[in-house]
Amino acid sequence: MRIPCPLCGDRDLREFNYLGDSTYLDRPELGDSDGYDAYLHLRANPAGPTRELWFHNGGCGAWLEVERNTVTHEITGARLVADTAEHA
């Protein structure tokens, strides 16, 4: 699988570390043990299009939000997380 890094170009999957679904960026409040349990252990495992966080550890060191189909592994887009946060 190849990931299109906006800074380095099309790169091999082995240069990246996978963090998980990018919709789980908001953490529960401190002291909310039920919320943290769900945040850590009850994540969805969708089949189809997803948005995921990847770290380019073997390249530029950027965090990317990658749009990927979990069934076909087709990557339809990637952008810097900093760019995503600016447009939120």
Side-chain angles (χ1 to χ4, degrees):
M1 187 165 71
R2 312 271 307 164
I3 297 177
C5 177
L7 301 176
C8 303
D10 199 29
R11 310 301 291 180
D12 189 89
L13 167 72
R14 293 173 289 188
E15 292 187 12
F16 296 85
N17 285 0
Y18 172 76
L19 177 65
D21 186 343
S22 70
T23 61
Y24 287 97
L25 293 176
D26 296 324
R27 294 183 180 178
E29 294 293 324
L30 288 175
D32 181 3
S33 59
D34 289 337
Y36 262 99
D37 182 57
Y39 173 76
L40 293 172
H41 303 290
L42 302 177
R43 296 186 180 188
N45 188 16
T50 62
R51 290 185 345 230
E52 304 168 332
L53 292 174
W54 291 78
F55 179 66
H56 196 179
N57 66 322
C60 61
W63 281 99
L64 307 179
E65 182 180 54
V66 176
E67 296 173 8
R68 180 175 73 92
N69 186 312
T70 59
V71 175
T72 65
H73 298 293
E74 175 189 14
I75 299 208
T76 57
R79 63 186 131 313
L80 297 173
V81 170
D83 292 345
T84 303
E86 290 173 5
H87 296 100

